[in-house]
Amino acid sequence: MITGLILFVFGVGFIVYMFKHDSQFKQSDKYKEAVAKGTKPRKLLIHRKWWVWVLIVFVVLAGIGEMTGANDDDDGSKSTAPKTHKIQKKSKPVAKKSASKTKSKGTSRKENAELLATALHALPKKTHGEIQSAKIADDHMDIKIVLSDDLVDSMSDAALRKTAKQAWEIGTNYAHNFGPYPDGYFDRDACPVYILDSAGNELGKSTMFGDFKWEG
């Protein structure tokens, strides 16, 4: 960019200098003597030399080309620069919701438990029915998430395993973000999450170390 600007300014500046020089030269004794002798005085003028114009045109065009080329490079670097967010392939709603943020905590442990229950209850709608139901167990010791039959039947084992883990992550994140909870909820800081099909068969669950275990 800077190199192009220098070349362009140099070319234009030389044109100004050339005409100023020739104008002054016409007032010189040498030019007047050449006119008097009829020895083609115009050839003594810089702007009358064809190769000078070729050089000027070359320098000016080189400067313009350098500047426009630099701008194109800048635009290209901006368009190819890595973005702060990844472009993800279209996935199931369950996968999308696994990264969703939960609402803020309540003002008491009891309210936290109520907010967790409300968030779980909303999962079927948020996942367009792919999660059939989600709730805190009646004994308050774990979270149970049921995947719909349509989802389970339409997937291969590998895809179902991935989706079950994503659903497990939703339940785990919700439980973590809304805590702490009243006494009698879950087991201290741990909150087991079970992923089931509509028949009650376990597809996946939390381990004693807090990891996901595929049951299939």
Side-chain angles (χ1 to χ4, degrees), residues 185-199:
Y185 272 75
F186 313 124
D187 182 13
R188 294 182 180 273
D189 295 330
C191 177
V193 177
Y194 289 86
I195 307 302
L196 314 169
D197 62 16
S198 62

Side-chain angles (χ1 to χ4, degrees), residues 36-81:
K37 292 181 179 180
T39 55
K40 297 183 179 180
R42 289 187 175 184
K43 288 189 176 182
L44 298 175
L45 302 176
I46 299 177
H47 77 273
R48 300 296 298 181
K49 301 180 186 298
W50 65 268
W51 56 268
V52 173
W53 286 105
V54 172
L55 180 61
I56 291 172
V57 171
F58 176 81
V59 171
V60 172
L61 291 180
I64 294 174
E66 183 72 17
M67 288 188 291
T68 56
N71 289 335
D72 290 341
D73 290 342
D74 291 341
D75 293 340
S77 63
K78 290 179 181 178
S79 63
T80 57

Side-chain angles (χ1 to χ4, degrees), residues 2-29:
I2 296 178
T3 302
L5 182 60
I6 291 174
L7 290 173
F8 181 81
V9 171
F10 175 82
V12 175
F14 185 80
I15 293 174
V16 174
Y17 164 80
M18 177 176 62
F19 281 102
K20 184 176 181 180
H21 172 273
D22 288 351
S23 177
Q24 292 176 349
F25 183 74
K26 287 181 179 180
Q27 306 301 321
S28 67
D29 294 337

